[in-house]
Amino acid sequence: MSWDREQSRMLAVASISLLLSILVWFNYSAVLPLIVEEWDLSGINAGIIFGAFQAGYLIAILPAGVFVDRYSPRWIIAIGATTTGVASLGFAILATGFLSGTALRFVAGLGMAGVYVPGMRFVADWYAETARGTAMGIYIGTFSLGSGLSFLISSVVASALDWRIAIATTSVGALVVAPLILIVGRDAPNTIQRTATGLDLTVLRNRSYLAAVSVYSWHNWELFGVRNWLIAFLLVVPAITATRQPALVAGTLAGVMIALGGLGNVIGGTLSDRVGRVRIISLALLVSGLISATIGAFQWLPLIALTALVLCYGVALTMDSAPTSTLITELVADEHVGAALSVQSFIGFSTTVISPVVFGWALDTGGYALAFPTLAAGAFLALLSAALLRYTRKDKLGSAAPLQES
């Protein structure tokens, strides 16, 4: 694998843009216990506020796919990041309860639709398929790194000052994205002419594509349920409540765990270039699903053992993400990659609206021992979808070649 300097620079620009924007996605989850206490939220209402961000993302992601196949991804990213940053700052300054908080998080989600998937299209334009898994692993890994940093920064600032200041601190970076991507970034020199005039849904006739989207959807069910509720779970674990600063310890552990997801993406993407996308996807889902099924019953673990388990969890949860998204770009014609990624994201993130709410219902009903297995169910369904990938045939540019493992 050989990358030239310009490819590396554009990957860095895309990844930094994503990192600064993703700080917004999970700053609410990082200070969730403080908001629940101040606003007197139930588990379901707390899950709905998180789900509102996902709902905004879903509503905007299909139009973003149309635009990114027609126009330069850089402009879509700039507009999206600015919208996300402004709305998140509004949450920090103006939100006073369930309704206002839900509305502002919804708008922030609308903006995020212009960042993540258009960035994937931007990276895919710069890299050939032989190196794309690694490049996408680095880019998507930035999602996890930014998520982890959001938890770390928000937890530290909230513990020292206030949750509103924590959210504001993790929102301002998104406002830097527009000048970065527009001034420093540039489109790939061999990018196909963008002539798409609407959302092309012919990808839905591709069985392998649909199976990959199903994998992604149930992967997100598990991943986002964990990320939204992890700190709340850690704060009831005896080994953490026994420390001098439980909130800071929980936030730090959650932040490091989620940041390690970046490593999981890079490992998964790189290995999938060498041994096959589907093999790595299946291995990651098996490990993460087993941990999701059992971690709620492991509250008695000592701090060292709990830390080791949580950190392994962070890597396993994301190892399938980059191989799945890379596979999406390989299963469709180049001129429809933006549409394919946006449809994938629309369907895939629809589960993230529901998963935190189902988790909250299970938590209210039977505690964490019942709640976490609802996430394991997602990993199990993703595994079934990955098995289906082995028996389908890809249909790229009208061909019907067997689905390859690499």
Side-chain angles (χ1 to χ4, degrees):
M1 177 184 66
S2 178
W3 297 351
D4 63 36
R5 181 175 299 179
E6 189 71 354
Q7 284 180 306
S8 298
R9 190 163 71 94
M10 291 305 104
L11 179 57
V13 168
S15 298
I16 292 170
S17 298
L18 179 62
L19 185 147
L20 293 173
S21 303
I22 291 300
L23 292 175
V24 170
W25 201 316
F26 294 101
N27 57 13
Y28 163 77
S29 300
V31 297
L32 178 60
L34 298 175
I35 296 177
V36 166
E37 181 179 1
E38 183 173 322
W39 292 353
D40 193 26
L41 298 174
S42 67
I44 291 179
N45 282 346
I48 288 173
I49 294 176
F50 181 83
F53 186 101
Q54 314 300 102
Y57 181 92
L58 289 175
I59 288 174
I61 191 59
L62 293 181
V66 173
F67 290 136
V68 83
D69 276 340
R70 189 174 183 182
Y71 305 108
S72 167
R74 295 185 299 121
W75 283 98
I76 312 303
I77 293 168
I79 294 169
T82 301
T83 301
T84 292
V86 170
S88 190
L89 280 173
F91 185 95
I93 298 169
L94 303 173
T96 57
F98 173 70
L99 292 178
S100 57
T102 299
L104 287 164
R105 289 290 292 177
F106 175 79
V107 176
L110 289 173
M112 189 61 69
V115 180
Y116 183 43
V117 168
M120 282 196 280
R121 174 67 203 245
F122 181 78
V123 172
D125 285 344
W126 275 97
Y127 288 86
E129 290 184 5
T130 53
R132 191 177 294 168
T134 301
M136 291 284 274
I138 293 171
Y139 173 77
I140 297 171
T142 306
F143 189 116
S144 296
L145 177 61
S147 303
L149 287 175
S150 182
F151 275 88
L152 284 170
I153 295 169
S154 298
S155 297
V156 170
V157 175
S159 296
L161 299 171
D162 179 77
W163 70 260
R164 292 183 184 273
I165 297 175
I167 288 184
T169 301
T170 49
S171 300
V172 294
L175 303 180
V176 179
V177 170
L180 174 65
I181 195 71
L182 294 177
I183 296 172
V184 182
R186 73 178 186 88
D187 295 324
N190 297 321
T191 302
I192 60 170
Q193 184 178 3
R194 300 180 188 277
T195 58
T197 57
L199 184 65
D200 190 326
L201 297 180
T202 58
V203 294
L204 296 179
R205 296 200 293 265
N206 183 326
R207 292 175 298 162
S208 292
Y209 171 80
L210 292 177
V213 169
S214 181
V215 170
Y216 187 73
S217 301
W218 295 114
H219 151 83
N220 277 343
W221 173 285
E222 180 186 31
L223 178 66
F224 281 81
V226 172
R227 287 181 174 175
N228 188 61
W229 285 103
L230 181 61
I231 284 185
F233 165 69
L234 293 175
L235 283 173
V236 303
V237 173
I240 289 180
T241 59
T243 63
R244 292 183 178 180
Q245 293 183 291
L248 183 59
V249 172
T252 301
L253 179 55
V256 173
M257 175 265 212
I258 294 169
L260 277 177
L263 177 62
N265 271 294
V266 175
I267 292 172
T270 301
L271 289 177
S272 74
D273 280 341
R274 299 176 181 177
V275 302
R277 314 282 189 224
V278 180
R279 289 192 184 101
I280 299 304
I281 290 168
S282 301
L283 174 63
L285 288 168
L286 178 62
V287 176
S288 68
L290 288 173
I291 297 176
S292 289
T294 57
I295 192 171
F298 285 163
Q299 298 181 38
W300 50 268
L301 286 175
L303 187 57
I304 293 177
L306 177 70
T307 299
L309 179 63
V310 168
L311 296 183
C312 289
Y313 200 17
V315 174
L317 278 167
T318 60
M319 275 186 62
D320 59 314
S321 184
T324 304
S325 292
T326 304
L327 192 59
I328 292 292
T329 70
E330 297 166 351
L331 290 172
V332 301
D334 290 342
E335 62 268 25
H336 299 312
V337 166
L341 288 170
S342 65
V343 171
Q344 170 212 7
S345 200
F346 176 80
I347 298 174
F349 276 88
S350 64
T351 62
T352 71
V353 178
I354 304 168
S355 172
V357 180
V358 171
F359 189 105
W361 168 82
L363 178 63
D364 290 341
T365 303
Y368 288 104
L370 177 63
F372 272 101
T374 67
L375 306 182
F380 174 72
L381 291 171
L383 266 174
L384 291 180
S385 301
L388 182 62
L389 267 172
R390 295 180 180 275
Y391 298 101
T392 57
R393 298 166 68 86
K394 69 179 180 180
D395 186 17
K396 183 175 180 179
L397 299 175
S399 67
L403 176 66
Q404 300 299 312
E405 276 290 317
S406 59

